[in-house]
Amino acid sequence: MALIVPAIKGKMGNTNFYESKMNVRELISSVRRAHELDEWDAMPADERMQREVIKKRVEKELAPYIANQADRFFGSLIILVYKGEVEFEGLKDLNIKVNAGYRAAAKDLGFLTIDGGSLIVLDGQHRHLALEKVYKGEVEGEFASDVPNDEVTLIIIEHEHDIKTRRIFNKVNRYAKSTSKNENILTSEDDSYSIVARKLLHAGAPLDNNIVNFTSNTIAPRSVQLTTLSVVYETVKLILAHENKYPDIHLRPSDEELEEYYDISERYWRVLMEQLEPYKKASMDPMELPDMRLEDSQFSLLLKPAAQIAFFKGLIIATERGLSFEEAVKRANKITWSMTSPVWTDIIIRKNGTIDPKTDARDRTADLVAYLIAKDKMNNEEIEHLTEIYRRVRGNDNEKLPQFFADRTGN
């Protein structure tokens, strides 16, 4: 039975396309993903024109978003009419009278009839699967029962030959640019960590004086900014986990919960900005930051984004061993944080003097930071384990852990 949908006809290059809509109920019953084609298994690899679906992304991100957000929305799915007949009839063809003022604009308005063949998702297969899971009741949510009536926009093109279809698919996906991590943090209204991180930059908040770079994950040597939004985000995750708070990044919590998450994070950052010497100086006069960031400066390591995350994690580990956060920061002031200090070589500083941004480098740096701050709270087994790591990465079986520590007396 032929499918008839309202459509706007357009043309780009030598490709005709039709913009239309379907509700989710119609979409799931009419449109398939490429791997569901009867011919799919028999096709050689170069003719399988779609990537495999990443089900984890659908189940953990897209489907919960659709089922739980009243203001859900996403862009058009590109639908391929595969081995079917396509006929467009405009309003003029149907002898529908249009007022003179609308005739030029209405010439491409009409109805599209699709007879036979298959409708295949050329772009948007993850969104299609997410809608299907919600429609079939496989994903629960406050608004899941409303989803079947949602309307989805479609861009429909006709399959002419494999080369053209493959080329369109390749270009659509190749030139589609994913949003960056910073862009996601700046725009998310569901991820609690993003919302709290942004709020920490507001007027009156600990990071309110434009010392956070929210456009890049790096800090230039002469920058008068202290850190990046991405670093703030990661510290919020560390803080809330330490406080046994694990919000779902896909579901916006209540205003009360958000306020609680902010209050917790604000307390930690307030201590850091008021009691850690380089951050306190940066807060009072950001123009000092370029000189403080010089490699041989006392606190240069604490002004590098990757090291900042490791440092903050080390502070958290120290508090888990029994120190208050305030005491951990107080002790941190008494440690040499210069990038030229041999203590950090092969831990987070490469032999060429650059920062090692890898996760394992940050993790071992965090452990070393916690040791330097809170050795008196560690048992022999923990110290021996850290010693093994220190020796391995520095390539010396006789290497000893650094012997300078924060002053335990506070004098």
Side-chain angles (χ1 to χ4, degrees):
M1 184 175 180
L3 175 69
I4 301 175
V5 294
I8 301 173
K9 181 181 179 181
K11 186 173 184 178
M12 184 173 185
N14 62 4
T15 301
N16 291 317
F17 66 88
Y18 308 90
E19 186 142 13
S20 186
K21 67 173 184 175
M22 285 185 187
N23 65 38
V24 170
R25 185 179 291 104
E26 295 170 328
L27 181 76
I28 300 307
S29 64
S30 304
V31 179
R32 305 161 70 187
R33 295 181 294 283
H35 73 273
E36 296 174 334
L37 281 173
D38 295 334
E39 302 98 318
W40 177 258
D41 289 335
M43 287 181 179
D46 68 335
E47 290 185 12
R48 297 189 185 191
M49 294 174 290
Q50 283 194 313
R51 301 164 296 173
E52 297 295 332
V53 173
I54 304 172
K55 291 186 178 180
K56 183 177 179 181
R57 178 189 171 202
V58 171
E59 294 167 354
K60 298 294 184 182
E61 298 181 23
L62 291 175
Y65 163 73
I66 292 167
N68 289 280
Q69 291 295 333
D71 51 0
R72 56 195 175 275
F73 185 80
F74 47 65
S76 301
L77 277 63
I78 300 179
I79 305 299
L80 178 74
V81 181
Y82 186 68
K83 296 184 178 179
E85 298 295 326
V86 173
E87 181 181 1
F88 177 78
E89 295 177 281
L91 299 183
K92 182 179 179 181
D93 300 321
L94 299 171
N95 294 318
I96 296 175
K97 184 178 181 180
V98 178
N99 290 340
Y102 303 141
R103 285 173 190 164
K107 66 182 178 65
D108 291 324
L109 300 178
F111 297 89
L112 187 69
T113 300
I114 303 170
D115 194 6
S118 300
L119 298 183
I120 303 300
V121 183
L122 190 62
D123 181 64
Q125 61 177 346
H126 290 88
R127 286 168 281 166
H128 182 273
L129 179 57
L131 289 167
E132 182 181 274
K133 285 186 171 295
V134 177
Y135 174 74
K136 291 182 175 180
E138 297 176 20
V139 177
E140 297 181 351
E142 183 180 356
F143 303 100
S145 62
D146 299 332
V147 170
N149 295 317
D150 281 356
E151 294 180 321
V152 179
T153 57
L154 312 174
I155 296 175
I156 301 171
I157 62 174
E158 187 175 5
H159 176 74
E160 299 176 32
H161 52 78
D162 287 349
I163 292 176
K164 180 172 182 176
T165 296
R166 190 181 295 114
R167 180 178 291 123
I168 291 172
F169 171 77
N170 176 267
K171 299 309 178 187
V172 165
N173 286 278
R174 182 174 181 176
Y175 296 125
K177 182 179 181 296
S178 299
T179 53
S180 68
K181 182 175 181 179
N182 277 345
E183 289 170 332
N184 290 335
I185 297 172
L186 283 169
T187 60
S188 176
E189 288 299 337
D190 302 311
D191 180 355
S192 299
Y193 306 116
S194 294
I195 298 169
V196 171
R198 295 198 303 264
K199 194 171 181 182
L200 287 167
L201 278 59
H202 289 184
L207 296 164
D208 72 341
N209 56 349
N210 298 318
I211 56 175
V212 176
N213 185 333
F214 52 83
T215 61
S216 173
N217 290 328
T218 61
I219 297 289
R222 301 304 299 173
S223 171
V224 293
Q225 293 172 312
L226 171 66
T227 189
T228 69
L229 182 61
S230 180
V231 169
V232 179
Y233 178 91
E234 294 300 326
T235 65
V236 172
K237 290 177 67 175
L238 289 168
I239 292 168
L240 294 185
H242 177 58
E243 296 285 343
N244 295 313
K245 307 292 183 183
Y246 301 95
D248 187 332
I249 63 172
H250 305 297
L251 299 177
R252 184 184 179 94
S254 67
D255 290 344
E256 291 75 15
E257 289 173 311
L258 276 175
E259 193 63 31
E260 178 188 12
Y261 300 155
Y262 172 76
D263 288 343
I264 292 170
S265 303
E266 193 270 350
R267 288 198 300 271
Y268 283 78
W269 266 102
R270 186 72 66 185
V271 170
L272 208 57
M273 296 305 295
E274 292 180 354
Q275 297 187 25
L276 188 69
E277 287 185 23
Y279 292 7
K280 183 178 180 180
K281 288 181 180 179
S283 180
M284 292 187 296
D285 185 5
M287 299 304 294
E288 291 194 29
L289 277 165
D291 289 338
M292 293 166 60
R293 196 173 281 117
L294 295 174
E295 292 182 1
D296 59 354
S297 295
Q298 181 183 358
F299 295 105
S300 56
L301 190 63
L302 297 185
L303 300 175
K304 299 292 185 177
Q308 289 172 333
I309 297 172
F311 169 64
F312 204 97
K313 185 175 181 180
L315 290 174
I316 294 296
I317 295 172
T319 63
E320 290 171 348
R321 289 176 177 154
L323 289 180
S324 68
F325 191 73
E326 290 83 351
E327 178 62 21
V329 172
K330 183 178 180 181
R331 292 184 178 191
N333 281 320
K334 300 180 181 298
I335 296 173
T336 298
W337 298 102
S338 173
M339 291 175 62
T340 58
S341 171
V343 170
W344 308 110
T345 302
D346 295 322
I347 304 301
I348 196 168
I349 301 295
R350 299 186 179 108
K351 285 186 171 60
N352 63 4
T354 62
I355 291 281
D356 185 345
K358 296 186 179 67
T359 300
D360 58 348
R362 294 204 304 264
D363 288 345
R364 62 178 175 254
T365 303
D367 288 335
L368 182 59
V369 168
Y371 164 80
L372 295 173
I373 290 174
K375 181 190 175 186
D376 56 328
K377 303 294 183 180
M378 295 175 66
N379 58 42
N380 289 334
E381 184 179 346
E382 291 171 328
I383 294 175
E384 288 174 3
H385 177 66
L386 181 59
T387 301
E388 290 176 5
I389 296 174
Y390 199 70
R391 287 174 173 172
R392 175 175 53 79
V393 297
R394 289 169 71 95
N396 185 347
D397 291 340
N398 298 313
E399 188 86 40
K400 294 182 179 180
L401 289 173
Q403 296 302 303
F404 66 91
F405 309 104
D407 185 352
R408 305 297 184 250
T409 67
N411 295 325

